[in-house]
């Protein structure tokens, strides 16, 4: 496809992946229309933990994860849960996850996850500096906190893997962790500091992107559910919605956890499950933390955002069920004071709990690239818990794939056709 302003690109999905794709495609000179089935502020990107994590180079599909998940499924407040249901898509996803939970797959995934994460961090630094957007960018690193000897051993191994891959990791004892947090008490055995990680305010990022794109003339159509597509042999010619049909020259599928249903409208079988997560915030915290943290045994996160402190956690594989399971939230709440004894946290009201679905591929790698079935369809989805972290890199890669010049990094590992 030639890079000309007359080329009309339709993007389905108003999360960080769709918005980032719109940003870089607009910069490359395309005419962009973005469709989202709801108001964009409701999406998964808006309320997540806000962490930018080049440290996360080990995929979710890894040795031991199946056994750990089976144990957690027996506890209603545990951080991981698969909602039992008779569903062939879930069964296929589970089988593929099992097949990829190997050391060989981890070794294969580390360099590509590292490269896309470092690309994304560099692009975030550029976005923070170029004046287009405002999203409270902070480079303070990330703490992986633990309270047990078994977690200490696991984290020391992960730190060693990271250092060998070129991602700096520092193993700290409890006092060294406390020294990094002068304003509040931290009760831990130790932690690993990843100084190259960063964080931002995801709500501000989404608001800023939407405002910038609209100002630049990008068409953003909220509350437009896609119902089908116009096709001409191996090309998609239009996007169908209840409000009308929209002609396009190129289609980007960035629908997050709803991407499999969009793929079915294209006769594509995209293996993915929605992984529900929850978050809630404390406001005007006087003894706030400085450095974002993942509380290992609890599998929960804490991120300072100005004077607020956002907590997030759980991975509940439940399709596209958006109900709030307060038992899962209770698990997060109960874990926080084990790590931060002086932070005043109580069980939030259900209406104060944000929830969102992370689109989880079975091998822990995103889907980015063209599908062989169509000449003009690009997929950009399946980022799991890494969507915000990998947003700019994915958007940049999508714009390169569209223009036929994918030179930022090799993307074969992210092929949307890899399980078909």
């Amino acid at each position: 496809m030639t890079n000309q302003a007359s080329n009309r690109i339709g993007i389905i999905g108003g999360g960080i992946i769709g918005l980032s794709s719109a940003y870089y495609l607009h910069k490359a000179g395309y005419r962009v229309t973005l469709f989202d089935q709801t108001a964009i502020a409701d999406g998964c990107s808006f309320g997540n933990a806000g962490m930018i994590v080049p440290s996360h180079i080990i995929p979710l599909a890894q040795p031991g994860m199946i056994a750990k998940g089976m144990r957690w499924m027996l506890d209603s407040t545990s951080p991981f849960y698969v909602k039992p249901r008779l569903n062939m898509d879930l069964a296929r996803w589970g089988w593929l996850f099992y097949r990829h939970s190997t050391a060989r797959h981890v070794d294969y995934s580390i360099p590509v996850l590292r490269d896309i994460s470092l690309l994304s961090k560099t692009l975030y630094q550029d976005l923070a500096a170029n004046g287009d957007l405002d999203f409270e960018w902070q480079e303070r690193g990330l703490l992986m906190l633990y309270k047990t000897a078994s977690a200490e051993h696991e984290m020391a191994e992960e730190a060693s893997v990271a250092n060998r891959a070129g991602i700096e990791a520092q193993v700290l004892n409890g006092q060294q962790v406390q020294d990094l947090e002068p304003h509040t008490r931290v009760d831990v055995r130790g932690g690993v500091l990843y100084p190259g990680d960063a964080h931002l305010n995801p709500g501000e990022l989404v608001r800023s992107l939407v405002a910038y794109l609209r100002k630049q003339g990008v068409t953003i159509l909220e509350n437009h559910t896609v119902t089908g597509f116009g096709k001409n042999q191996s090309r998609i010619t239009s996007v169908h919605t209840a409000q009308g049909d929209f002609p396009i020259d190129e289609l980007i599928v960035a629908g997050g956890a709803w991407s499999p249903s969009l793929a079915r409208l294209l006769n594509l079988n995209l293996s993915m499950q929605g992984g529900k997560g929850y978050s809630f915030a404390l406001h005007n915290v006087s003894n706030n933390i400085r450095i974002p943290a993942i509380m290992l045994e609890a599998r929960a996160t804490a991120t300072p955002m100005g004077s607020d402190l956002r907590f997030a956690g759980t991975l509940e594989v439940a399709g596209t069920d958006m109900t709030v399971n307060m038992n899962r939230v209770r698990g997060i709440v109960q874990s926080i004071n084990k790590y931060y004894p002086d932070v005043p946290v109580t069980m939030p009201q259900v209406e104060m709990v944000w929830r969102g679905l992370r689109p989880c591929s079975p091998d822990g790698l995103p889907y980015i690239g063209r599908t062989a079935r169509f000449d003009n369809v690009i997929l950009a989805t399946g980022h799991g818990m890494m969507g915000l972290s990998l947003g700019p890199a994915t958007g940049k890669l999508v714009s390169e794939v569209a223009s036929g010049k994918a030179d930022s990094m090799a993307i074969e590992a992210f092929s949307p056709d890899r399980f078909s």
Side-chain angles (χ1 to χ4, degrees), residues 27-171:
K27 289 282 190 183
Y30 293 96
R31 285 167 48 198
V32 178
T33 301
L34 185 145
F35 305 85
D36 198 83
Q37 63 183 349
T38 62
I40 284 176
D42 295 339
C44 187
S45 305
F46 206 79
N48 75 22
M51 295 177 174
I52 310 306
V53 283
S55 60
H56 282 39
I57 55 174
I58 297 175
L60 186 63
Q62 57 184 272
M65 197 62 191
I66 298 289
K68 197 178 290 185
M70 293 298 282
R71 289 196 302 274
W72 279 337
M73 280 179 66
L74 302 176
D75 179 0
S76 66
T77 62
S78 72
F80 180 75
Y81 180 69
V82 178
K83 184 178 181 180
R85 56 199 191 278
L86 289 173
N87 181 287
M88 286 303 296
D89 291 335
L90 176 62
R92 180 171 182 261
W93 184 91
W95 168 244
L96 289 167
F97 185 95
Y98 168 77
R99 284 191 55 194
H100 287 87
S101 296
T102 66
R104 182 179 178 185
H105 174 65
V106 169
D107 290 342
Y108 170 77
S109 301
I110 284 172
V112 292
L113 286 174
R114 174 198 62 203
D115 291 353
I116 192 172
S117 286
L118 291 175
L119 172 63
S120 216
K121 182 190 170 187
T122 299
L123 292 170
Y124 266 126
Q125 290 170 324
D126 293 345
L127 290 170
N130 72 13
D132 287 349
L133 309 174
D134 181 17
F135 46 89
E136 300 173 18
W137 177 252
Q138 300 281 343
E139 295 188 36
R140 297 183 193 167
L142 171 71
L143 281 167
M144 306 287 283
L145 302 178
Y146 46 78
K147 296 181 68 70
T148 61
S150 60
E152 180 177 48
H153 176 72
E154 181 184 341
M155 284 302 101
E157 285 192 347
E158 286 199 9
S160 177
V161 169
N163 280 313
R164 287 199 303 272
I167 302 293
E168 184 184 356
Q170 303 169 10
V171 180

Side-chain angles (χ1 to χ4, degrees), residues 281-289 305-310 343-344:
L282 301 181
H283 301 291
N284 301 312
V285 180
S286 57
N287 54 336
N288 210 345
I289 68 174
M305 295 183 185
S307 62
D308 294 348
L309 181 56
R310 177 173 292 174
V343 172

